[in-house]
Amino acid sequence: MSLPRRPAFRRPDLRAVAGGLRVRLIVAFLLVAALSALTTAALTFRSARTAILKHTQDTAIDSLRSQVNSQVPDFTFPLSQPAQLDLARRLTAAGGAQRWNVHVRYQDGPVLPAGDTDRPLPKELREKVRSGVSAFQRMNTHGMPWLAIGLPVTYRDSSERTGLEVYAEMPLREDEANVKALVKAAQNGALPAVALAAVPALIAARGVLRPVRELRRASGKIAVGELDTRLKVTGRDELADLSRTFNDMAAALEKNVAELRRMEANSRRFAADVSHELRTPLAAMTAVVDVLDDDAGSLDPDTAYAVRLISEETGKLARMVEDLMEISRFDAGAAALHLDEVDVPETVRKTLQARGWQDRTVTDLPDGLRARLDTRRIDVVVANLVGNALKHGGEPVRVTVRTATREDGDRLLIEVADQGEGIDPDVLPHVFDRFFKADSSRARSEGSGLGLAITMENVRLHDGTVRAANSPGGGAVFTVDLPLRRGGGDEI
């Protein structure tokens, strides 16, 4: 009996690991953490930036308005150009903390002082101030941020405009530096937050995947026949429900398989017992029928016909009992393989000669081909295949023995081909089934329906395969594919 091969060690597939559930959970967790951190940082930056700029703008506007209110009363309207320049210089000097440059414009006159800046006042700002509205506007000149403020001046305790407009320009370099520092702080805070998120991601992935791993191990055990495998159920979540369902399924499967095994064992035992019990009476019946068959010539025609019919049917019954006994040995695992190095072509010739099939077959048997085989079982294989071809196919039947080289080693091939009409394609998948007879595609079989099943079991015992096909030129072809073993005797 051949021993099961141990599964070969398989290296982990890196692509499967990269696409595994653990990696996807961790990546998803990190992406959510990164998105949350970035969103929080962006909102914080936006709010802080707005607050910084608004504070700067409000402080500058209030300070400029305060200086204008304190300086303008010292001047008499209408203002001359020297007075305008003096007012601009005083206001500029008063804004040392803000580092602003002040310009004034009286009625429709020019902006003074002129020519000391390459930053023209925005047109929109001047139009708003000219209409009597205080305004401010941020602008960017040569990559540097600036704030422009415009104030219309009115008479004290009156809303009447004096015609004087005051403009101030101040750099926002410190505010921009503060904003950049805020961005850097947000980045420095987001990156550690994402890195720290890997820890709870690993913990969460482990908690989620532990039941999945246990389920995979349990499924693998059940797949190899350990039907008493059960999962430990903890918690009340969906994974716990899955574990309970798996345990219920495993329990039902164990019960059903045990019942099926019991029924199968009873069936096999019944077939073996019946076959064994039939051998003794069949042996006696065969002996009596042989005697009657020898005297059939002296009997009247009707009696002689009945005797020959009984003799033929008794022989069929005896062969069926032997086939059932052989099948029961395979099913019980009691079939032993006795290997010995033999001359394969000579073994095939002896099989054909022992049954008188030399004139009905054509052989292609190379000389000197030796292999380790069980001679008795190979004799059964060849006899069943050739006998099946002679019964159901056309003569002559061709028997070919050859070798082939493949990646898994050298192979021994035995082919049996007939000249009949072939096998119906719908029948091909079932030709090796027990008690199967292709009545619709071939002549009515007189055998037990176990011959090809026994052939397949004998080939399988040799670690080989047997397959049936239709030849392109017509007829059926049965191919026995065996490993080409060489060396001394052995027993399995």
Side-chain angles (χ1 to χ4, degrees):
M1 179 178 180
S2 59
L3 298 176
R5 297 181 179 178
R6 297 180 61 184
F9 173 76
R10 299 196 321 177
R11 295 182 178 179
D13 190 347
L14 295 181
R15 288 179 296 180
V17 172
L21 187 57
R22 174 191 291 273
V23 175
R24 283 185 287 172
L25 282 173
I26 294 175
V27 170
F29 201 101
L30 292 179
L31 286 177
V32 171
L35 183 60
S36 301
L38 291 176
T39 303
T40 303
L43 293 176
T44 303
F45 162 73
R46 182 178 178 182
S47 300
R49 181 175 182 271
T50 302
I52 290 173
L53 295 177
K54 188 176 184 302
H55 175 72
T56 301
Q57 291 164 184
D58 293 344
T59 301
I61 292 172
D62 291 342
S63 178
L64 180 62
R65 182 176 286 112
S66 176
Q67 290 297 328
V68 169
N69 291 336
S70 65
Q71 297 286 345
V72 170
D74 295 338
F75 293 86
T76 303
F77 289 86
L79 291 176
S80 62
Q81 284 194 1
Q84 295 176 41
L85 290 173
D86 185 36
L87 176 60
R89 282 193 293 271
R90 288 187 181 187
L91 292 175
T92 299
Q98 285 78 17
R99 292 181 298 174
W100 61 37
N101 292 323
V102 178
H103 305 270
V104 296
R105 181 175 183 270
Y106 184 66
Q107 294 182 347
D108 294 330
V111 177
L112 300 175
D116 63 343
T117 178
D118 57 354
R119 295 177 298 278
L121 293 171
K123 181 179 179 181
E124 298 83 357
L125 178 69
R126 289 186 281 113
E127 290 178 351
K128 288 182 179 180
V129 175
R130 189 174 299 171
S131 65
V133 178
S134 300
F136 64 89
Q137 184 174 337
R138 287 190 295 270
M139 55 186 179
N140 193 292
T141 304
H142 304 301
M144 295 297 297
W146 288 80
L147 176 65
I149 305 172
L151 297 176
V153 180
T154 60
Y155 290 106
R156 179 173 293 181
D157 300 328
S158 174
S159 61
E160 182 182 354
R161 286 182 292 175
T162 62
L164 178 64
E165 300 169 5
V166 179
Y167 298 94
E169 296 175 315
M170 58 179 296
L172 296 176
R173 287 189 294 270
E174 292 183 0
D175 294 337
E176 190 68 20
N178 292 335
V179 170
K180 289 183 178 179
L182 184 63
V183 172
K184 186 174 181 180
Q187 292 176 345
N188 293 337
L191 294 178
V194 174
L196 290 175
V199 176
L202 290 171
I203 296 174
R206 182 179 180 183
V208 171
L209 292 180
R210 185 187 298 112
V212 177
R213 288 195 299 269
E214 293 298 328
L215 181 62
R216 183 183 63 184
R217 293 194 194 100
S219 300
K221 290 182 179 179
I222 286 182
V224 298
E226 299 181 23
L227 301 180
D228 58 344
T229 303
R230 299 293 184 271
L231 292 175
K232 182 180 180 181
V233 180
T234 56
R236 297 182 179 180
D237 55 9
E238 289 81 357
L239 292 175
D241 292 339
L242 178 61
S243 299
R244 293 188 188 93
T245 303
F246 177 86
N247 289 340
D248 293 341
M249 179 200 69
L253 181 62
E254 182 180 18
K255 179 180 178 181
N256 292 337
V257 170
E259 181 66 17
L260 287 174
R261 287 175 176 172
R262 185 188 64 79
M263 294 173 62
E264 184 180 8
N266 291 340
S267 177
R268 290 176 179 175
R269 189 181 306 111
F270 175 76
D273 292 344
V274 169
S275 301
H276 181 75
E277 294 298 327
L278 286 175
R279 294 184 74 179
T280 301
L282 273 176
M285 289 174 61
T286 302
V288 173
V289 168
D290 287 343
V291 172
L292 293 176
D293 200 24
D294 292 338
D295 296 336
S298 61
L299 301 175
D300 61 88
D302 292 339
T303 304
Y305 175 77
V307 168
R308 293 189 179 95
L309 181 60
I310 291 175
S311 176
E312 182 179 354
E313 295 300 326
T314 302
K316 291 179 183 178
L317 184 58
R319 288 191 297 272
M320 179 178 290
V321 169
E322 292 299 325
D323 289 344
L324 286 173
M325 291 290 292
E326 185 71 8
I327 283 290
S328 65
R329 282 191 286 269
F330 283 117
D331 290 343
L337 188 66
H338 302 276
L339 296 178
D340 194 13
E341 184 168 349
V342 298
D343 188 317
V344 179
E346 183 62 25
T347 300
V348 173
R349 289 193 189 96
K350 289 181 179 179
T351 298
L352 300 178
Q353 291 172 0
R355 291 158 179 83
W357 290 340
Q358 304 95 312
D359 298 335
R360 305 175 65 184
T361 58
V362 177
T363 59
D364 183 4
L365 308 176
D367 294 330
L369 177 58
R370 301 185 66 82
R372 287 171 58 198
L373 302 171
D374 187 321
T375 306
R376 183 183 71 82
R377 297 191 181 280
I378 291 300
D379 174 77
V380 172
V381 169
V382 174
N384 283 347
L385 292 179
V386 174
N388 184 75
L390 291 173
K391 282 183 180 180
H392 307 296
E395 297 183 18
V397 173
R398 175 174 292 276
V399 182
T400 304
V401 176
R402 59 187 178 89
T403 59
T405 301
R406 298 177 188 160
E407 294 182 357
D408 56 348
D410 294 337
R411 311 293 295 184
L412 172 64
L413 304 180
I414 303 175
E415 294 181 353
V416 177
D418 61 47
Q419 305 299 318
E421 298 179 357
I423 305 173
D424 191 310
D426 295 334
V427 173
L428 273 175
H430 308 286
V431 292
F432 296 103
D433 293 350
R434 298 178 183 183
F435 301 107
F436 181 81
K437 298 181 181 181
D439 295 339
S440 59
S441 60
R442 292 187 166 201
R444 181 180 180 276
S445 174
E446 297 179 355
S448 64
L450 295 173
L452 292 181
I454 293 174
T455 297
M456 183 181 67
E457 294 294 343
N458 280 310
V459 172
R460 189 179 293 168
L461 208 58
H462 282 82
D463 296 327
T465 60
V466 58
R467 57 184 178 273
N470 287 318
S471 173
V477 180
F478 288 82
T479 304
V480 176
D481 188 337
L482 305 173
L484 183 58
R485 300 186 179 101
R486 303 178 187 275
D490 196 2
E491 180 176 331
I492 298 180

